[in-house]
């Protein structure tokens, strides 16, 4: 799960967020950005490159918290714009249905998903994007991989917390069983 400072008024301070994370699950949305051909088949998967506080680099999908009183669709759009830029042109259906719900636990091994900071529940979506993607905020780069490359062992090793499993699930959902 990624973390960026939100600037909306009424959002939690760092101390409040830490207290909430220690008390209850936090709701997230995750988006696997894809490019599709004329027939709607996925041709490429977009993965972000981020730097961890320890200086290491990793790949991730678009991810972020759902704010209080925010529709899921709006949270998806906000995080896609935050990470991919304002002209990514994501196509989110008017009534989005997640392809899976990923449960991240602070204890490794409970599920394939792990976040040492918190228990988080993430609704995950495959989102076609057709515009020009320019990574922003804490995303350093965006690389487009073929479905085969995105599920390769090398790329999965670069994806912390089980996000490689999430990408495999996303591709299986759209007919690219690895």
């Amino acid at each position: 799960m990624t973390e960026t400072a939100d600037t909306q008024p009424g959002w939690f301070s760092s101390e409040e967020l830490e207290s909430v994370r220690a008390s209850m699950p936090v709701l997230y949305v995750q988006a696997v950005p894809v490019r599709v051909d004329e027939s709607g088949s996925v041709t490429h998967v977009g993965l972000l490159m981020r730097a961890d506080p320890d200086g290491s680099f990793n790949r991730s999908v678009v991810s972020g918290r759902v704010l209080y009183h925010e529709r899921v669709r709006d949270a998806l759009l906000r995080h896609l714009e935050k990470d991919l830029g304002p002209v990514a042109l994501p196509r989110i259906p008017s009534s989005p249905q997640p392809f899976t719900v990923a449960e991240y636990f602070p204890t490794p091994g409970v599920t394939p998903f792990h976040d040492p900071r918190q228990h988080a529940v993430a609704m995950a979506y495959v989102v076609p994007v057709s515009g020009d993607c320019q990574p922003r905020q804490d995303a350093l780069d965006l690389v487009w991989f073929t479905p085969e490359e995105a599920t390769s062992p090398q790329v999965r090793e670069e994806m912390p917390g089980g996000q490689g499993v999430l990408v495999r699930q996303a591709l299986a959902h759209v007919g690219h069983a690895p």
Side-chain angles (χ1 to χ4, degrees):
M1 315 287 316
T2 58
E3 195 61 47
T4 4
D6 288 302
T7 58
Q8 287 191 303
W11 192 236
F12 296 120
S13 70
S14 297
E15 295 80 21
E16 291 169 325
L17 182 58
E18 188 175 322
S19 174
V20 168
R21 284 179 167 159
S23 309
M24 60 190 304
V26 178
L27 180 61
Y28 279 76
V29 290
Q30 292 187 300
V32 179
V34 296
R35 298 276 194 206
V36 296
D37 63 17
E38 313 77 48
S39 68
S41 295
V42 171
T43 60
H44 291 87
V45 177
L47 297 176
L48 297 164
M49 177 65 75
R50 299 184 190 276
D52 283 338
D54 67 4
S56 63
F57 294 95
N58 64 63
R59 296 198 186 278
S60 69
V61 298
V62 173
S63 179
R65 291 187 302 268
V66 178
L67 299 175
Y68 176 75
H69 212 264
E70 181 178 40
R71 294 181 331 158
V72 167
R73 186 174 198 285
D74 295 334
L76 276 168
L77 286 169
R78 179 170 57 85
H79 289 292
L80 285 159
E81 181 176 325
K82 173 185 67 90
D83 284 344
L84 303 181
V87 292
L89 304 177
R91 291 179 294 190
I92 299 172
S94 57
S95 179
Q97 299 295 317
F99 69 86
T100 196
V101 175
E103 292 183 272
Y104 289 80
F105 284 89
T107 306
V110 177
T111 69
F113 307 104
H114 175 250
D115 184 338
R117 303 167 303 160
Q118 65 188 334
H119 176 190
V121 176
M123 295 181 295
Y125 301 86
V126 176
V127 179
V129 295
S130 57
D132 183 31
C133 298
Q134 297 297 320
R136 301 173 2 154
Q137 299 278 339
D138 64 342
L140 304 173
D141 194 13
L142 173 73
V143 177
W144 292 100
F145 294 94
T146 66
E148 295 75 23
E149 292 168 334
T151 58
S152 72
Q154 298 111 315
V155 173
R156 270 186 295 160
E157 286 177 19
E158 297 175 357
M159 300 187 76
Q163 287 197 15
V165 172
L166 191 74
V167 169
R168 289 173 59 101
Q169 290 176 342
L171 288 169
H173 178 74
V174 296
H176 278 282

